[in-house]
Amino acid sequence: KEVSHSLLSHFLGGRKLLPSDFDQVLESAAGNPLYLREVAQFMAHLTQPNPPAPWRGREKREGGEVIPPTIERLILAHIVLLPAAHQSLLRYGAVLGSRVEVRMLQSAFPGMDVMHNLHQLAQIGWLQPESGTELNPPLSVQWRHDLYRETLYHSIEPNTRRQLHAEIAEQLEAVSETPPDVLAEHYEAAGVAEKSAHYACCAARMYEQRWQFRRVEHYTTIAISH
C-alpha cells in the first residue's frame, strides 16, 4: 500500500485529490502499477474544467463505477494473449458472477482439466480462491479484481451473453439449494420473463422475511416489469 501511495503521488504530479478519491484510486488499482497509472490519469482528467473528448460521456457500469477505456483496453489486450482454454473459462466465469463455482465450470467444460487451468489463472492473477482458502481444490473462486470480470462481461456479444445466462440458470434451477435471487438475476439477464418474474417474487418474499427492504424493492420491481 505504501508503494502504491508513492506511485500514485508520482503519477498525479502536482495535482491533488481528496483523501476519499485517493483511497478510491488505490482500491481500484488493486496494486497493479499499470492500472494505477491509468486510473490516476483518468482521475486527473476528471479534475480538469474541459476534459479531452475521449474521456467525456464515459458509460457508467453497475454500481456506478466508471472504468477508463484505457484500462478496458489493457484488460482485453491481456486476455487475447491467454490460451483459448483460459479465455473460455474467464468469459464463462464473468457471466457466472463475482463468485465462480468450480462445479459449474466443470459441467460447462467436461473435456477440460478445469482445476489445472484455474491454478494457472490464479498464478497470473486473474482469479483467486474464495475467502483466502487454498486452491486445493476450492468449491469456488473469485475475481482478483471486479474490474476484470466487469470488462470481460461487457465484451461478450449480447446474444451470446443472454444464451449463457439461460444455460446457467437452467443448471442452477436443478440444484435445490440455489437461492431465488440468483435465479431471478440470471433469468432476467437471459430475457426469460416468466421465470424471472416467478423467482423475483420468491426473492422479494425471502428478503421481506429478512427485513431487507431495498432488496424487496429491487426484486418486486423486476417482477412487476413482467
Side-chain angles (χ1 to χ4, degrees), residues 1-15 17 22 25-26 29-41:
K1 185 175 182 179
E2 291 179 0
V3 174
S4 294
H5 193 284
S6 177
L7 270 177
L8 179 54
S9 299
H10 170 73
F11 290 141
L12 287 173
R15 296 183 178 89
L17 292 178
F22 206 94
V25 174
L26 291 180
N32 188 308
L34 293 177
Y35 296 166
L36 186 65
R37 181 191 63 193
E38 297 298 337
V39 176
Q41 290 177 352

Side-chain angles (χ1 to χ4, degrees), residues 27-60:
E27 181 180 353
S28 296
N32 188 308
L34 293 177
Y35 296 166
L36 186 65
R37 181 191 63 193
E38 297 298 337
V39 176
Q41 290 177 352
F42 180 53
M43 296 295 287
H45 279 290
L46 289 181
T47 62
Q48 297 178 12
N50 297 301
W55 299 99
R56 290 181 184 154
R58 186 65 190 141
E59 178 185 2
K60 281 197 172 185

